Amino acid sequence: MLMPVLSVGSTQIPYILKRSPTARRARITVTPDQVEVVVPDTASDEQIGRALHRRRAWIFEQTRAMRARVAQGHTIHRFVTGAKIPYRGRLMRLTVQPGTGSLVEVAYRNGFRVEYPQTIAPNARDSVIEAALALWLRKRVREDVVAIARQHAVNGMYPKDIRIKDQKHLWGSCGQDRVINLNWRLIFAPKPVLEYAVVHELCHLRHRNHDTAFWQLVGSILPDWQMRKAWLDRNEHLLGFERVEPRT
């Protein structure tokens, strides 16, 4: 099915159109992956067109800014010695070498060290190393999150469970069931920023909304929370890495 397209000058911007029985007016969201337009069930094509026309300059600027931010993200062509892997706000050197074991081994000490089985085919090596690094990073961020939660989970702010997830557009969430979810890509942020994300969700165990009482509670735990949040807002596009096949 073809997506509808918004034309801004010579630029064509595809978007996803959704109708919602609860929407009172058009809501437009721009992410690195897509433009989504949510409208009331009763909205006519003419009304939708007018809403898009009013916001066309904003949509154009947002999509251009998103493309620029994605282009600044960290890419890796090969998982070989000398490549740089983001970790806790820094780019760390990767050392790769064959090992004697049957599994990929990942270690960290002033940089990542990976040993891979000599039986792995050369054309599969990058994918296997990438998967092993991602697994190691997920385990590490879970350890960090649990430790931070134990440190700050006071006055009834004890989660029922903590889950590490792969979320595209959320850094964290706190359900009514008192289960806290954190995005595994927070391992790429400096540890104080990860701490802010955890404390943010812990505070939602007492205050469900982002009201004044919520932010006061966050501030009582992390007086510099605004600085940490600003870093996350400013650098979210840098949290992660993407393997890009080299062009031939």
Side-chain angles (χ1 to χ4, degrees):
M1 181 178 179
L2 293 177
M3 294 175 62
V5 174
L6 172 67
S7 298
V8 182
S10 60
T11 302
Q12 304 292 304
I13 305 174
Y15 62 91
I16 296 173
L17 179 64
K18 294 183 178 180
R19 294 182 179 272
S20 168
T22 60
R24 295 187 175 183
R25 56 185 177 84
R27 184 176 71 251
I28 302 173
T29 305
V30 180
T31 72
D33 301 315
Q34 65 188 27
V35 176
E36 182 180 85
V37 180
V38 179
V39 299
D41 270 344
T42 56
S44 65
D45 291 344
E46 183 180 355
Q47 290 172 320
I48 296 169
R50 286 201 301 266
L52 288 168
H53 183 76
R54 285 195 301 269
R55 304 290 301 279
R56 68 190 185 283
W58 177 85
I59 295 170
F60 176 79
E61 290 300 328
Q62 288 297 309
T63 52
R64 185 171 66 172
M66 286 292 181
R67 286 195 297 268
R69 293 175 70 179
V70 170
Q72 295 173 8
H74 190 66
T75 58
I76 299 172
H77 294 290
R78 295 291 308 280
F79 287 88
V80 296
T81 296
K84 298 291 186 178
I85 304 295
Y87 181 59
R88 289 181 174 169
R90 301 172 61 192
L91 286 176
M92 307 306 299
R93 189 176 189 271
L94 174 64
T95 300
V96 177
Q97 63 185 40
T100 58
S102 59
L103 299 174
V104 177
E105 299 290 340
V106 178
Y108 179 85
R109 185 173 182 180
N110 297 322
F112 288 95
R113 189 176 192 88
V114 175
E115 291 188 356
Y116 61 87
Q118 299 184 46
T119 55
I120 295 178
N123 62 352
R125 192 175 301 157
D126 284 316
S127 296
V128 172
I129 292 174
E130 180 182 17
L133 279 167
L135 180 60
W136 187 94
L137 290 164
R138 285 171 180 261
K139 289 180 178 178
R140 179 53 56 90
V141 75
R142 178 172 182 79
E143 292 171 0
D144 289 349
V145 167
V146 169
I148 293 168
R150 286 174 178 167
Q151 177 185 353
H152 294 297
V154 295
N155 299 324
M157 295 192 302
Y158 297 97
K160 179 181 178 181
D161 192 14
I162 295 175
R163 297 172 184 170
I164 305 301
K165 291 194 170 184
D166 187 357
Q167 298 168 298
K168 280 194 174 183
H169 308 302
L170 286 176
W171 293 119
S173 61
C174 178
Q176 295 286 353
D177 56 1
R178 301 182 67 83
V179 173
I180 287 178
N181 301 303
L182 273 302
N183 193 319
W184 79 275
R185 289 178 175 81
L186 286 164
I187 194 63
F188 301 114
K191 203 164 184 180
V193 176
L194 171 62
E195 183 181 30
Y196 159 73
V198 177
V199 168
H200 184 115
E201 301 310 329
L202 288 175
C203 290
H204 276 312
L205 293 171
R206 288 177 58 182
H207 301 285
R208 304 303 304 179
N209 300 314
H210 293 105
D211 54 15
T212 301
F214 170 82
W215 291 116
Q216 287 176 342
L217 180 58
V218 174
S220 70
I221 300 171
L222 300 175
D224 63 343
W225 68 267
Q226 290 173 308
M227 185 181 303
R228 305 185 194 208
K229 181 180 184 299
W231 191 99
L232 186 58
D233 292 340
R234 187 172 61 248
N235 296 284
E236 59 178 337
H237 59 293
L238 299 177
L239 301 191
F241 59 80
E242 180 183 4
R243 181 160 66 95
V244 178
E245 295 290 345
R247 294 182 178 180
T248 57

